[in-house]
């Protein structure tokens, strides 16, 4: 892994949404592994071995008249990535109760202390959606609850769920980098009740949970929502994030079709995280 070479694409997007959501979805289908949303757009990474000259030809949003999208690209040595995180990844504390930090940070005085090395995975707690999902977990009873963390990224939400007493827990991500990173972070936090799986919603039929956490982009949520709800036990709870305040009506409408009740909304910089009950 240390010799893996990645190609990074740096996209500048105007207006940001929904273009960034669409761009990430289309790049994911094309083979890009990881994404970091920026103030100007999004940075996307693909292994050089998986790259080919015409890789952007089928990215239709690049040709849309609705958005202005430009990009540059460069080769990135994988061995430099951890050093970049050490320079840029600062610890966070959510509501004075939960800290998310790297191993090289000092331990803060919090009830829950999560140690991760995020590398190229999403879920450091810095993004609004992860921050709010941490808040939801802190505010709700997870003791003895079976949990699904869908689109687990670094595994941080699954790890916190176990710290709050949940078991068993499935953490699932289709991104191989996220899958491997979650395995590392689960082990690093001595989490004994988390099973990390690589895949998507096709893994879910036949599985059942008391709580489902899904912090994914809106299009994937809408596509897979019925499958998530099918896994929920009676009186189960569904936490959803990865979308904006303006998207609440369509998400709420879909959940209403399956008898779920919207009971709480958290909002942070126009991003939202919703709680539904079955």
């Amino acid at each position: 892994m240390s010799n893996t070479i990645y190609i990074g694409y740096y996209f500048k997007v105007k207006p940001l949404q929904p273009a960034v959501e669409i761009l990430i979805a289309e790049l994911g289908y094309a083979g890009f592994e990881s994404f970091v949303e920026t103030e100007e757009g999004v940075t996307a990474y693909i292994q050089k071995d998986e790259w080919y000259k015409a890789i952007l030809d089928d990215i239709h949003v690049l040709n849309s008249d609705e958005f202005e999208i430009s990009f540059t690209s460069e080769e990135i040595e994988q061995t430099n990535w951890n050093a970049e995180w050490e320079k840029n990844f600062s610890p966070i504390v959510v509501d004075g109760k939960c800290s998310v930090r790297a191993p090289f940070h000092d331990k803060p005085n919090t009830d829950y202390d999560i140690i991760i090395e995020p590398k190229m995975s999403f879920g450091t707690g810095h993004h609004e959606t992860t921050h709010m999902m941490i808040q939801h977990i802190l505010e709700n009873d997870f003791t003895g609850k079976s949990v699904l963390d869908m689109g687990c990224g670094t595994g941080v939400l699954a790890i916190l769920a176990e710290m709050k007493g949940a078991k068993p827990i499935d953490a699932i991500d289709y991104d191989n980098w996220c899958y491997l990173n979650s395995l590392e972070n689960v082990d690093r936090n001595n989490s004994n009740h988390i099973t990390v799986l690589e895949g998507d919603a096709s893994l879910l039929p036949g599985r059942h949970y008391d709580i489902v956490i899904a912090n994914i982009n809106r299009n994937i949520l809408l596509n897979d929502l019925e499958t998530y709800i099918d896994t929920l036990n009676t009186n189960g709870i569904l936490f959803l994030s990865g979308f904006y305040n303006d998207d609440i009506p369509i998400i709420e409408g879909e959940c209403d079709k399956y008898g779920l009740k919207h009971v709480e909304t958290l909002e942070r910089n126009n991003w939202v995280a919703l709680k539904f009950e079955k």
Side-chain angles (χ1 to χ4, degrees):
M1 184 69 75
S2 62
N3 294 323
T4 303
I5 297 175
Y6 278 77
I7 295 178
Y9 278 79
Y10 308 93
F11 293 94
K12 293 184 178 180
V13 182
K14 293 181 182 179
L16 288 173
Q17 295 297 345
V20 167
E21 258 187 28
I22 299 168
L23 182 58
I24 289 174
E26 292 190 353
L27 290 171
Y29 283 120
F32 283 77
E33 290 187 6
S34 299
F35 308 93
V36 178
E37 292 191 39
T38 66
E39 292 182 358
E40 295 184 310
V42 64
T43 300
Y45 300 94
I46 186 169
Q47 288 192 36
K48 187 176 180 180
D49 290 346
E50 302 294 324
W51 180 87
Y52 54 94
K53 189 173 182 179
I55 197 160
L56 298 185
D57 286 1
D58 292 326
I59 310 302
H60 302 297
V61 71
L62 296 179
N63 301 314
S64 171
D65 294 333
E66 298 179 50
F67 313 113
E68 181 182 330
I69 304 176
S70 62
F71 65 89
T72 58
S73 63
E74 66 173 351
E75 283 191 10
I76 301 169
E77 286 284 353
Q78 179 61 26
T79 50
N80 294 332
W81 189 255
N82 287 344
E84 289 301 308
W85 271 111
E86 290 199 18
K87 285 192 293 185
N88 298 307
F89 177 41
S90 57
I92 68 158
V93 175
V94 178
D95 295 348
K97 300 176 182 177
C98 177
S99 54
V100 182
R101 64 184 178 92
F104 49 83
H105 294 137
D106 293 334
K107 182 179 180 179
N109 183 23
T110 55
D111 295 335
Y112 307 99
D113 179 38
I114 301 173
I115 303 172
I116 63 170
E117 288 201 40
K119 299 184 179 177
M120 295 173 76
S121 303
F122 177 84
T124 62
H126 291 78
H127 193 275
E128 286 87 344
T129 59
T130 311
H131 190 283
M132 289 184 293
M133 286 301 223
I134 290 173
Q135 288 181 300
H136 271 310
I137 296 173
L138 290 172
E139 293 169 3
N140 286 269
D141 181 15
F142 276 68
T143 305
K145 306 288 188 181
S146 55
V147 173
L148 167 65
D149 179 7
M150 194 71 199
C152 59
T154 60
V156 65
L157 300 179
I159 292 166
L160 179 58
E162 177 169 323
M163 290 180 174
K164 287 284 311 270
K167 63 178 179 180
I169 303 162
D170 287 339
I172 299 176
D173 207 299
Y174 75 92
D175 185 326
N176 178 256
W177 191 267
C178 292
Y179 164 71
L180 295 174
N181 191 213
S182 289
L183 285 174
E184 293 175 7
N185 290 326
V186 164
D187 182 64
R188 182 173 287 110
N189 288 273
N190 301 311
S191 300
N192 299 313
H193 302 291
I194 299 174
T195 301
V196 182
L197 302 167
E198 183 177 5
D200 55 20
S202 64
L203 296 176
L204 297 179
R207 299 175 185 269
H208 299 282
Y209 307 96
D210 299 314
I211 298 173
V212 172
I213 300 166
N215 183 17
I216 313 176
N217 78 60
R218 188 194 71 167
N219 293 337
I220 294 177
L221 283 178
L222 291 172
N223 186 67
D224 295 341
L225 193 56
E226 182 179 3
T227 306
Y228 303 157
I229 294 170
D230 284 344
T231 70
L232 271 179
N233 293 328
T234 304
N235 300 319
I237 296 173
L238 175 66
F239 295 105
L240 299 176
S241 194
F243 48 92
Y244 292 97
N245 185 288
D246 291 345
D247 298 316
I248 290 178
I250 188 171
I251 298 290
E252 195 174 41
E254 285 298 306
C255 288
D256 187 60
K257 288 181 184 178
Y258 303 103
L260 268 65
K261 181 182 178 183
H262 179 193
V263 295
E264 187 177 5
T265 300
L266 298 179
E267 182 171 353
R268 190 176 175 89
N269 296 328
N270 205 36
W271 293 91
V272 292
L274 311 183
K275 176 184 178 181
F276 292 88
E277 293 179 350
K278 190 171 184 178

